[in-house]
Structures are given as C-alpha cells and as structure tokens.
C-alpha cells in the first residue's frame, strides 16, 4: 500500500477549523484583531498556506491583559473553591481527550510531526498534564511558624496574578498545557501567545476552555508574532509574571522586557544535551535509544541528545547502529501513515539546520548518513549522523534544533564529564551503562536539569523539567512548578 493510499482522512471538524479564518480568544469571546489583520499559517509538508489567523498586536495584548486582570480580581475565579477549580482543570483534560484525533491532526498539519506521534505523545501528555495539575489545586498549602508564644505566624501561598505565557512551535498543544495547567491550579489568570508558526491547537484548546466552564477572562489566547504580540506581553506593566519557552536568544530579550515592572520570569530555553554511552551498556536498547534521543520530533526538542559521546571501544559499533536506525526512518509528510519523521516546521528552520550542516562540513566534520535537505517541496532534512567532530566546532556548541547528531569517542571519564559540561546549556543529559553505581555517580556530576539513565525523552507531569545555566530559570511540572506561579505571604499576628 502506498503512503498516500493509507493516509487518513482529515477530520471534518479539522477541515472546518482550518477552512475559516480563526479569531483570537479574549474575555471568553472570539474577536478579530484590533487592526483587523490576519497572518498565514503554513503547512510545512508543502510550504503552502493552509489557514489564516487573527494577528494580535499591542492593542490586543492590552485588551487581553485587562480581561485577565479583571478575572483575577473579581468575578467567579478568585472566590471559587480550590476543589471546583480542580474539577474545571480535570474537565479540560477530559475534553482534550475527547477531541484527541482533532488535536493530533491539527498538530500534524501545523507542525509537520507524524500524526501517529501526535496521537500517542503530544495529546495524551497534554491530557495527563491537566489531570495531574487538577490534583494540585486542592493541595497548595502554607505553614505555621511557631517562633514565639506571643505571635501567630503563618504563610499563605497566593496566586502570582496575571501571567503572560509565550510558547514555541515544537509541541504546540503540550507546551500550552505545561503553561496553563499550573497557572490554573494556583488560581492565576493567563494571556497565552502561541508561536506564529503553530497557533491552531491553542485556539482549539481555547474553545474547550470555554466548554469546560472556566470563567471568562481566566484564559485568553492572542496569536501573533514574537516581536510584536510577544514583546508587548513580556513588557506589559500590568502582567505579574511571564513564562517563556523558546530560544535562549529570545529568552534574554524576555528578561530585558520584563525589567520594566520587574515581573517574575521563568524560562525554559535551549539545550545541547550530552548523551553518554559506555561500552558496558545494553546495546540492544542503547542504539535505538541514542537514535530516538536525537531523531524524535525531528530533533526539534530543546532536550534532544545532540552530542553523542561513545566509549572508544564501542564507537564504531554505536555509530553504525545509529546510522542504521537513521536509514530506517521514513521521512515524509506527517499525515502519511508510514511517515516516521515529518518536515521541519518552517523554511527558516530548514535554512538554519542546513546552515549548520554546511558549517560542520566546512570545519571538517563528515556526515556518515544524511547531511542534506530532501529535494522537492516541503522543509524536509535527512536524519544525519556527524563524525570527525571536535568540541570547538559550531555544530558541537550551538543548538541545531534539527535531526543532526554529532558523535565523539571518549576514553577518560573525567575528561568526558568536563567536556559534557562544557556548554553554555544545561537542560538534559543521559548515561547508558549496566553499571548502576557509575550511572548515578555521573548523573550527580552532570550539570543538567534532567539526567536520564538507560532511557531518553521520558516525561511525566510529576517530574520537574528545566535547565541549569543558559537553559533557563525555574522548573516546570512536578510540585516545583507551583513555586513559579505563587507568591508566599508571611502573616504575623500578636496574640
Ligand atoms: P524559535 O527560534 O525556535 O522559533 P523563538 O524563541 O523565536 O523560537 O520563539 C518562541 C516564542 O517566542 C514564539 O511564540 C515567538 O513568537 C516568541 N518570540 C519571538 N521573539 C520574541 C520577542 N522579541 N518577544 C517576545 N516573544 C518573542
């Protein structure tokens, strides 16, 4: 059966959704941009425009922040019981689950990822996130502090207020869930700006926010470009906190923009994660694990295992194993049933990734497999394994954000750790070995927010995620995220 023959039908509702220009969601209403402008959304498998969306700018951000402020201070949200708030969040998770296929199809069309992946990863993980966070709504507590019999002192954990959330295009729905879940659990209100490349699933999510019964103004979704809508949100004086996921470069702009009113900032930024393979690892799992560490989501993961360090005696074996895995990957439109890897998200990303490949070649690296753009329409790049790399090369230092892994042999463990840590990033790392003591010793030494042992890309809403160094500020998910969305108030009474 050919890939096209087995391609699923586009869901009626998805067809309808992308067939009409989408508005923005402010104060529980669907509204046009104040300017009346819309912007195009491209299908990365063809490079063609597939939808149009209202283009938010400063004035729309102002309207949305006003609605979020009002909802934070009056109306049903601030007086709702924690239990009722939790139920609404749970209900939102249920509704996403009921619309799983529509979300998966939108993600695949918009981002380019295989539909099969969106069905088993992006959408179910978003559902889990809301269900997990629903439980936290009733468990946010303060302490009593018995420092003197003359005083009653206690702390309250209060919602931080109006939160601006700016998200990327690599997991559009899931990143919206990571941001909205804790904000809602803690009682904040939100203005969410999805990435301009992939605004569609956040807009469908907003429909479900209304359907779940979350009060008007609690969640506002304003699509638009980063330099306009995003910058207006990050710099807004009536926003109490900005939460951002994206490039380290833009993360620094967010910090500057936030300085005007010193709003709180949390950042989940880039990575150049070391994936370390010892010669005693179980190669039956390690090789496919190392391949999926970089090729999952086309390498468009901030935690992608993009630096593959292999103990010298096994270097050739592991590299040829990963190369075989790369050769098996069927690259094609995300909507084709047989596709393992779709196109990159945009022409800009395609140019960026091919630019890095050229830079690698000019510095002396070689591609054992891949190394090129696929000919024809769409933004397809071949899965690539680079060798003859060294730590000074640009491809070893900078985040490529594509399906390109740089392999390096190592023999001395201390040198390896120094090299693995020699990065401005510190988001994730992995160690593959059968020696459990060695694995934990190395996990301790790696300067990264997540260390996987004999696995990679394992996520759960209960596990905190975030970066050391220039990979970010704060941790998302787990109970750690609650700190990012609450202020602690100490109350002290003379008694
Ligand atoms: P990438 O480089 O991977 O496209 P970005 O960091 O540019 O990622 O984008 C992530 C998010 O940040 C997107 O929603 C984008 O619109 C937004 N963004 C980009 N530039 C700015 C900016 N100057 N201020 C605020 N948000 C921005």
């Amino acid at each position: 059966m050919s890939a096209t023959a087995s391609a699923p039908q586009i869901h009626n509702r998805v067809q309808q959704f992308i067939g009409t220009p989408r508005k923005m969601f402010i104060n529980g209403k669907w509204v046009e941009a104040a300017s009346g402008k819309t912007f195009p959304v491209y299908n990365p498998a063809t490079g063609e425009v597939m939808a149009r969306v209202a283009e938010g700018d400063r004035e729309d951000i102002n309207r949305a922040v006003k609605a979020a402020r009002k909802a934070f201070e009056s109306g049903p949200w601030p007086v709702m019981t924690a239990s009722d708030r939790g139920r609404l969040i749970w209900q939102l998770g249920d509704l996403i689950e009921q619309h799983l296929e529509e979300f998966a199809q939108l993600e695949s069309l918009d981002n380019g990822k295989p539909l099969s992946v969106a069905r088993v990863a992006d959408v179910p993980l978003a559902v889990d996130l809301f269900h997990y966070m629903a439980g936290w709504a009733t468990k946010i507590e303060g302490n009593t502090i018995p420092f003197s019999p003359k005083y009653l002192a206690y702390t309250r954990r209060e919602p931080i207020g109006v939160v601006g959330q700016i998200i990327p295009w690599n997991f559009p729905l899931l990143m919206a869930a990571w941001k909205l879940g804790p904000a809602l659990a803690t009682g904040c209100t939100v203005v969410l700006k999805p990435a301009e490349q992939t605004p569609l699933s956040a807009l469908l999510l907003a429909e479900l926010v209304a359907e779940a019964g979350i009060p008007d103004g609690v969640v506002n979704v304003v699509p638009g470009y980063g330099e306009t809508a995003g910058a207006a949100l990050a710099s807004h004086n009536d926003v109490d906190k900005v939460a951002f996921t994206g490039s380290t470069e833009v993360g620094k702009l967010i910090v500057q923009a936030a300085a005007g009113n010193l709003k709180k900032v949390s950042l989940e930024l880039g990575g150049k994660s070391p994936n370390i393979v010892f010669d005693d690892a179980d190669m039956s799992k390690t090789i496919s694990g190392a391949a999926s560490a970089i090729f999952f989501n086309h390498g468009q993961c901030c935690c992608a295992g993009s630096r593959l360090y292999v103990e010298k005696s096994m270097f050739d074996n592991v590299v040829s194993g990963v190369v075989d895995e790369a050769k098996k990957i069927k690259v094609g439109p995300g909507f084709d049933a047989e596709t393992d890897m779709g196109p990159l998200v945009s022409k800009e990303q395609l140019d960026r990734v091919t630019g890095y490949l050229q830079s690698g070649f000019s510095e002396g690296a070689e591609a054992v497999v891949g190394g090129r753009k696929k000919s024809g329409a769409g933004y397809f790049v071949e899965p690539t394994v680079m060798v003859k790399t060294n730590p000074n090369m640009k491809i070893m230092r900078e985040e490529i954000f594509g399906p390109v892994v740089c392999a390096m042999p190592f023999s001395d463990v201390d040198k390896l750790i120094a090299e693995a840590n020699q990065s401005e990033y510190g988001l994730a790392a992995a160690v593959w070995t059968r020696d459990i003591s060695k694995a934990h010793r190395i996990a301790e030494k790696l300067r990264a927010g997540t260390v996987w042992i004999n696995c990679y890309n394992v996520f759960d809403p209960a596990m905190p995620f975030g970066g050391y160094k220039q990979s970010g500020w704060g941790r998302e998910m787990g109970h750690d995220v609650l700190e990012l969305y609450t202020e602690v108030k100490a109350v002290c009474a003379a008694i």
Side-chain angles (χ1 to χ4, degrees), residues 368-380:
V368 195
V369 64
R372 286 173 311 181
K373 171 194 185 307
K374 254 185 86 177
S375 58
Y379 314 133
F380 297 96

Side-chain angles (χ1 to χ4, degrees), residues 166-169 193-197 224-227 230-231 244-247 250 253-254 349 352:
I166 300 172
I167 57 171
W169 44 259
K193 193 204 82 65
E196 55 270 38
Q197 297 85 347
Y225 292 100
E227 307 76 44
F244 171 77
T245 298
S247 59
V250 174
L253 296 177
I254 300 283
Q349 282 307 115
R352 175 191 160 125

Side-chain angles (χ1 to χ4, degrees), residues 223-245:
Y225 292 100
E227 307 76 44
T228 51
L233 185 55
S235 62
H236 201 292
N237 273 333
D238 201 28
V239 169
D240 299 296
K241 170 200 164 67
V242 61
F244 171 77
T245 298

